[in-house]
Amino acid sequence: MKLQLLSTVLSFVFLLIVFWPLEKLFPAWRQRTFRPRWLTDLAFFLGQYLVWGGAVLAVLYGFRHWLDGIVPVAFRTAVATQPWWLQGLEVILLSDLFVYWGHRLQHRVEFLWRFHSIHHSAEHLDWLAAHREHPIDTIYTMGLINLPAFLLGFPLETLAGLLAFRGLWAIYIHSNVRLPIGPLRALIGAPELHHWHHARERDAGNYANISPLMDLIFGTYRCPDHEPAELGVSEPMPKGYLGQLLHPFRPKGKTTRPLIDTDKREAAFHG
Ligand SMILES: [Zn+2]
Ligand SMILES: [Zn+2]
């Protein structure tokens, strides 16, 4: 527990050191550091590190173990005889493909949206808001990201670097940052693309989490030259941490507190 607390504090400090200056130097819009609902997002951060992280990992290991039992050995042997770079490329591309379609389903299928809408309820984005995600939503996404590696029999350790990069990138694309990288954004992705994914309309496009390749292929790439006017969801949603954790399990229409009010964005958006 002590170690867990230490790693939580160290991760927080590391992220703060990386993202706070970036957000101050290259903001996409004007926003105070302690903007509305920052405590809810901090609770999601702490919950993820101190409570849910271990459970998510345990489910993933169980899932991998289950797949080990059903994937034919001959298939994995055939995969392993390919050059390492080809195997790596296959894992990355398949992972992007699974996450892309899995994410589109989260926006389409009501049951999945119940959990995913928690992530979209953030009306102020920054690096901390990236952590607002229901633990069941996390299991779903992590399962899809890792599914190709599990199927092909890649040891997780080989992919640790890639997974860490994906995690950090997922935080970056939520940050209040806009860098002038021009056409490069179509290749490697950028926060402004994901900001548009968080626009209030539910099918706003940009479902990929790193390279927008899949969005370009399937026609959901969207990159206006300004930031969206409003972020969040247009349905009732509790605002606090516990309320949001329980929200997916409540009968529809039973949320009493209004959602969209109210925490007025304090300043005009960039552009
Ligand atoms: Zn989404
Ligand atoms: Zn997001």
Side-chain angles (χ1 to χ4, degrees):
M1 188 63 200
K2 248 189 192 160
L3 213 66
Q4 208 181 1
L5 209 60
L6 184 69
S7 85
T8 305
V9 172
L10 286 180
S11 302
F12 189 86
V13 171
F14 170 76
L15 293 173
L16 196 66
I17 291 173
V18 171
F19 288 109
W20 195 76
L22 261 183
E23 293 192 336
K24 291 298 156 202
L25 290 171
F26 307 100
W29 53 76
R30 273 175 295 151
Q31 183 165 284
R32 312 177 253 141
T33 303
F34 294 101
R35 38 71 183 178
R37 299 294 147 195
W38 69 272
L39 268 175
T40 301
D41 293 324
L42 180 66
F44 272 97
F45 177 91
L46 294 175
Q48 193 183 102
Y49 275 81
L50 295 172
V51 184
W52 306 112
V56 170
L57 271 183
V59 172
L60 281 181
Y61 273 100
F63 181 47
R64 186 175 72 162
H65 188 72
W66 176 73
L67 282 171
D68 282 347
I70 58 168
V71 176
V73 176
F75 171 74
R76 286 193 172 168
T77 314
V79 169
T81 54
Q82 299 176 111
W84 65 268
W85 59 266
L86 185 59
Q87 296 182 44
L89 200 65
E90 285 165 358
V91 166
I92 293 170
L93 284 177
L94 280 175
S95 191
D96 274 0
L97 182 73
F98 288 4
V99 166
Y100 173 84
W101 282 104
H103 192 180
R104 283 189 73 169
L105 280 180
Q106 283 169 299
H107 283 251
R108 277 296 160 86
V109 177
E110 205 49 47
F111 175 75
L112 296 175
W113 175 250
R114 277 174 175 243
F115 295 94
H116 190 54
S117 60
I118 305 301
H119 177 63
H120 277 270
S121 72
E123 294 178 355
H124 297 80
L125 288 182
D126 53 21
W127 69 271
L128 189 60
H131 298 86
R132 189 187 296 204
E133 191 172 84
H134 199 284
I136 292 181
D137 209 32
T138 309
I139 289 175
Y140 174 88
T141 303
M142 293 298 285
L144 283 171
I145 285 181
N146 290 297
L147 184 57
F150 290 174
L151 285 173
L152 302 186
F154 257 53
L156 264 191
E157 299 68 39
T158 327
L159 298 165
L162 186 67
L163 283 176
F165 175 74
R166 263 191 196 279
L168 208 56
W169 196 264
I171 297 172
Y172 168 62
I173 58 176
H174 290 91
S175 66
N176 176 15
V177 169
R178 195 172 176 114
L179 295 173
I181 60 167
L184 251 187
R185 69 165 66 89
L187 192 69
I188 59 171
E192 56 266 30
L193 299 177
H194 198 67
H195 296 160
W196 276 99
H197 178 67
H198 278 264
R200 211 179 268 281
E201 61 181 291
R202 181 159 152 186
D203 289 302
N206 298 340
Y207 298 94
N209 103 329
I210 299 188
S211 162
L213 181 66
M214 297 299 155
D215 283 302
L216 288 164
I217 292 175
F218 297 112
T220 47
Y221 181 74
R222 197 172 162 205
C223 187
D225 60 1
H226 57 283
E227 295 283 337
E230 274 190 305
L231 307 170
V233 287
S234 28
E235 61 197 65
M237 175 85 67
K239 292 179 177 226
Y241 179 63
L242 285 178
Q244 294 211 342
L245 274 190
L246 294 173
H247 179 70
F249 305 103
R250 291 207 181 101
K252 238 182 142 6
K254 286 280 180 196
T255 305
T256 45
R257 272 185 282 171
L259 216 230
I260 338 168
D261 49 40
T262 64
D263 294 331
K264 296 245 158 49
R265 304 189 62 90
E266 63 256 45
F269 274 73
H270 172 101

